[in-house]
Amino acid sequence: MRFSNAFIPTVKEAPKDATSPSHIFLIRGGYVRMIGSGLYEMLPLGFRVLKKIMAIVRDEMDGAGAQEVLMPGLLPATYFKETGRYDGFGDTLLRLKDRKGGEYHLGPTHEEIITDMVRREVKSYRHLPINLYQIQMKYRDEPRPRAGLLRCREFLMKDAYSFDTCHEDALKSYAIMREAYKRIFTRLGLDFRIVKADSGAMGGDTSAEFQVLAQTGEDDIVACHACEYAANVEVATAKRQDDATSDESPGDLAKVHTPGVGSIEDVVGFFQKNDHSHIDATRVLKSLVYLSKSGQGADAKEEIVLAVVRGDHEVNEIKLTRALGATEVLLANEKTVRQATGAGIGFAGPVDAKVRVLIDESAAAVKNAATGANEQDHHLVNVNHGRDFEGEVVDLRSVTDGDPCPNCGEPLASFRGIEGGHIFVLGTHYSAKMGAEFLNAEGKRNPVVMGCYGIGVSRLMASAIEQHHDEGGIIWPMAIAPYQVIITTLGKGKKKDEAAEAEATKIYEALRAEGLEVLLDDRKERPGVKFKDADLIGVPLRVTVGGRGLGEGVVEYKKRGGGDLEKIPLDTIVARVISDVRAELP
RNA sequence: CGGGGCGUAGCGCAGUUUGGUAGCGCGCACGGUUCGGGACCGUGAGGUCGAAGGUUCGAAUCCUUUCGCCCCGACCA
């Protein structure tokens, strides 16, 4: 492509509402434009990148035995009504009516539609397994679109669905997808982790997220450097810490007057100064009063509960919610705390608590702990779980940087991640509800066992930039760069240098003849403008053809991601570029 | 949905407090001088000041309503 004929509207200043690197550079580099909250146009450069990501995804999906289909994006409401998701999706579902008043919605995902397709056509175990996928726009009325392509209301997604005769085979399909995803993310040039995640309300018991590591990610994850363990903090666990006090024998329970001492910090400070210098945060039981809500509408219920973790730990509200089987939990206000404990905030404790008590495993292991006395300005010391109070022992704490890996005990490191893919074993959740059944070898009807596998294609485009950029712009991995090479011609200012132009065109044609994707910057612009644009757009390789080099019979060659400026003789530059491009394309 | 902020030329902004009929930088067009990391000078085009209603002799500015966008949080099969 000749830049002079291209539609690549680069800009010096991004709109003020662009904040994350990918958003800023996608706009500045002329890749995308926003036309509404969470709605983006793909300009030529942006669409080239998107097509490259799609090509890799298709290649690996096809290679893994999946077949591509295309379902409508506009869906009759009946299918989602079958599974309850027409209402269950809530405001996220974009609903609309046709001219006859018929109910429709835009597809946020396609489990129901694909399940319907399969139930109509697949009748026998002989037809299974199958794996069908599509790449299409998905629509979700996000409460808050953000960060450009990272969270949109319309976004490009690859969604695949596997159908097997039994759970065991479904796990095989899942494993095949897991491997395919690893290859996809690797080929895309992304630094990623496969992490354990919350399966959500979809009833899957096996799932994993493919998290692209990036500062701007919305998800907190932890990963072990020594073993394979990695998990979203929503579900991450740490090895139980119970060694410190395990060989102590229980002391006598005693009440201590602790005026105005509420926070863990204050409690530890107070005891350190008042004859209990052995008490640090790990020995304090932090007790938080929560309001647990469950059920909906007329069935809605509220319960006050006490969540107990070690003083140096934090309560993970997702774990607490799950342990309670609640829909949500809210930290109680002062009034509720008084009602539940008889004291102000800061003096709650599990001993003689009048509400349901849940205690974290590590907290339960602490011997001779200090904790609130459920009495204003008092704490208890030498508190022991089992002797002084009861409570359901569960995993309640949030795992943080440095906590021991649950597998090997090595310290976990924390990262921010962008969820680029998510794979689930769904089981028979949809097939049972929708009657997607097959006859097995004995002639008996069984629901098909499903799995689903998503990749946020447009999100990955932004994720790649989050991971690969510098102050000047994007640094594309070769595999998804809109062009592999940019040839920058330097004329005499805005006047063209005929000789440079001719040499550049020769190189351009030679590279194109080899199938390379080349952008020839033949614009009548000053050198600075061309260099800045080349960096911004992020083309991996740059060949500079100018009078200065041509005098010595060389062109200049630079890799966007780093490396020195090299002078390459005119007669070898083509071979060099071809070899470098191919070296980076697995 | 709670909290905060913003809508003035394609982009970034000033002007709003104290009403007097809209300006700067970039970009764009033309001319000239420059010419290897976003040049300089000159000339010019481009805006119903988000929208509607009201107050006023007069509204970007004051009042009311409304729409849109961003950020933090909640939420996110």
Side-chain angles (χ1 to χ4, degrees):
Chain A
M1 186 75 210
R2 286 177 178 270
F3 210 137
S4 59
N5 297 328
F7 180 52
I8 305 175
T10 58
V11 288
K12 281 197 213 175
E13 289 180 286
K16 64 174 187 300
D17 48 13
T19 51
S20 65
S22 67
H23 193 189
I24 290 168
F25 291 133
L26 284 170
I27 288 172
R28 286 194 51 210
Y31 284 83
V32 305
R33 290 289 185 266
M34 184 183 88
I35 64 156
S37 179
L39 301 170
Y40 286 83
E41 298 166 332
M42 287 288 155
L43 273 38
L45 237 38
F47 196 44
R48 285 186 73 94
V49 175
L50 216 46
K51 283 188 284 191
K52 288 204 165 183
I53 297 173
M54 285 193 273
I56 289 170
V57 169
R58 284 198 171 99
D59 187 46
E60 293 296 342
M61 291 302 294
D62 293 345
Q67 287 176 277
E68 188 169 8
V69 297
L70 185 58
M71 291 176 265
L74 176 63
L75 306 173
T78 48
Y79 300 95
F80 271 51
K81 282 186 171 178
E82 275 191 65
T83 58
R85 289 211 294 180
Y86 188 68
D87 294 319
F89 245 99
D91 291 334
T92 301
L93 197 64
L94 280 154
R95 301 175 178 82
L96 56 146
K97 286 189 174 159
D98 69 3
R99 63 174 76 206
K100 289 178 289 192
E103 292 182 292
Y104 290 80
H105 64 92
L106 298 178
T109 175
H110 284 247
E111 281 82 5
E112 283 85 348
I113 314 304
I114 196 84
T115 302
D116 174 66
M117 182 192 294
V118 167
R119 76 178 162 185
R120 279 184 281 123
E121 315 299 339
V122 173
K123 303 295 180 190
S124 161
Y125 73 96
R126 294 175 191 273
H127 299 148
L128 298 171
I130 52 173
N131 186 324
L132 302 170
Y133 77 98
Q134 63 173 348
I135 298 177
Q136 72 164 181
M137 286 299 183
K138 292 288 187 279
Y139 301 87
R140 296 180 191 181
D141 194 0
E142 290 287 345
R144 191 177 148 210
R146 74 177 83 171
L149 258 33
L150 287 176
R151 182 168 290 277
C152 286
R153 293 197 292 175
E154 178 188 84
F155 59 96
L156 195 63
M157 182 178 185
K158 188 283 307 180
D159 46 321
Y161 307 88
S162 64
F163 300 87
D164 285 280
T165 58
C166 63
H167 192 73
E168 191 186 3
D169 285 357
L171 286 177
K172 286 182 196 160
S173 295
Y174 175 86
I176 289 168
M177 282 295 108
R178 194 173 189 276
E179 290 307 307
Y181 271 42
K182 275 164 76 171
R183 286 193 298 272
I184 289 167
F185 280 70
T186 302
R187 281 178 66 181
L188 292 174
L190 298 170
D191 185 11
F192 67 100
R193 296 287 185 279
I194 303 172
V195 311
K196 286 185 197 306
D198 188 3
S199 295
M202 295 331 301
D205 51 359
T206 303
S207 83
E209 287 174 353
F210 283 68
Q211 289 277 358
V212 178
L213 303 185
Q215 285 298 323
T216 47
E218 294 184 274
D219 294 313
D220 285 302
I221 61 180
V222 291
C224 180
H225 69 91
C227 74
E228 291 267 291
Y229 186 79
N232 195 307
V233 291
E234 291 176 355
V235 300
T237 56
K239 192 170 189 179
R240 195 172 58 149
Q241 294 160 296
D242 56 2
D243 301 329
T245 62
S246 60
D247 48 1
E248 290 182 16
S249 51
D252 295 334
L253 186 66
K255 189 183 289 182
V256 180
H257 184 53
T258 55
V261 173
S263 71
I264 296 298
E265 205 173 302
D266 291 346
V267 170
V268 171
F270 177 89
F271 282 122
Q272 299 268 329
K273 275 184 275 175
N274 293 278
D275 303 331
H276 292 84
S277 60
H278 65 291
I279 293 182
D280 60 15
T282 67
R283 218 185 246 270
V284 179
L285 300 185
K286 176 157 60 178
S287 305
L288 298 170
V289 182
Y290 276 91
L291 201 57
S292 162
K293 297 190 172 185
S294 58
Q296 284 187 334
D299 298 331
K301 277 186 290 194
E302 287 192 0
E303 183 187 10
I304 296 171
V305 299
L306 194 67
V308 182
V309 295
R310 231 168 63 175
D312 57 328
H313 292 162
E314 298 296 332
V315 171
N316 179 327
E317 297 187 357
I318 294 169
K319 288 182 182 177
L320 177 62
T321 306
R322 202 173 303 124
L324 289 164
T327 16
E328 64 170 339
V329 294
L330 300 168
L331 204 52
N333 57 25
E334 170 110 30
K335 189 178 154 198
T336 311
V337 170
R338 281 194 180 280
Q339 181 193 326
T341 68
I345 290 175
F347 301 97
V351 180
D352 295 328
K354 286 168 280 188
V355 298
R356 184 171 169 192
V357 175
L358 279 79
I359 182 165
D360 179 65
E361 293 166 347
S362 295
V366 177
K367 295 214 173 127
N368 297 326
T371 184
N374 291 325
E375 182 182 337
Q376 190 66 38
D377 295 336
H378 287 83
H379 278 78
L380 299 173
V381 294
N382 292 332
V383 172
N384 289 278
H385 177 250
R387 184 191 70 173
D388 305 317
F389 69 100
E390 297 299 327
E392 302 157 52
V393 179
V394 290
D395 177 20
L396 274 190
R397 58 171 294 222
S398 280
V399 174
T400 58
D401 203 60
D403 277 335
C405 173
N407 290 349
C408 66
E410 287 295 306
L412 294 168
S414 61
F415 300 93
R416 296 285 284 178
I418 299 166
E419 184 185 345
H422 203 156
I423 57 177
F424 294 84
V425 174
L426 292 172
T428 58
H429 184 85
Y430 292 91
S431 53
K433 275 187 184 167
M434 296 184 67
E437 299 175 328
F438 65 96
L439 289 178
N440 66 14
E442 286 80 47
K444 286 194 174 156
R445 302 176 75 84
N446 278 314
V448 293
V449 183
M450 294 172 56
C452 73
Y453 317 93
I455 287 181
V457 177
S458 47
R459 178 182 275 183
L460 283 184
M461 173 171 160
S463 306
I465 298 170
E466 293 294 333
Q467 219 168 56
H468 302 291
H469 68 270
D470 61 17
E471 322 77 57
I474 303 167
I475 306 170
W476 287 114
M478 185 64 75
I480 57 175
Y483 290 95
Q484 295 156 342
V485 193
I486 183 166
I487 302 172
T488 302
T489 65
L490 301 186
K492 291 171 177 153
K494 289 197 177 183
K495 293 188 193 101
K496 291 205 176 190
D497 176 330
E498 297 298 336
E501 198 76 14
E503 284 302 336
T505 303
K506 265 197 252 172
I507 297 167
Y508 173 65
E509 296 297 352
L511 291 172
R512 273 162 42 98
E514 289 292 325
L516 269 62
E517 297 163 312
V518 192
L519 186 59
L520 175 62
D521 193 351
D522 57 342
R523 294 176 299 169
K524 292 178 189 171
E525 289 289 351
R526 296 165 56 84
V529 172
K530 294 189 174 189
F531 290 139
K532 289 288 186 187
D533 271 348
D535 287 351
L536 177 61
I537 290 168
V539 178
L541 303 176
R542 189 183 79 205
V543 176
T544 304
V545 184
R548 194 185 283 177
L550 287 183
E552 306 169 32
V554 300
V555 294
E556 283 157 26
Y557 184 51
K558 178 87 169 65
K559 293 191 178 180
R560 176 66 180 91
D564 297 326
L565 188 72
E566 295 181 62
K567 291 186 175 180
I568 309 284
L570 268 173
D571 56 354
T572 62
I573 183 64
V574 170
R576 173 64 188 278
V577 170
I578 290 170
S579 122
D580 282 353
V581 168
R582 292 188 178 153
E584 289 187 49
L585 288 178

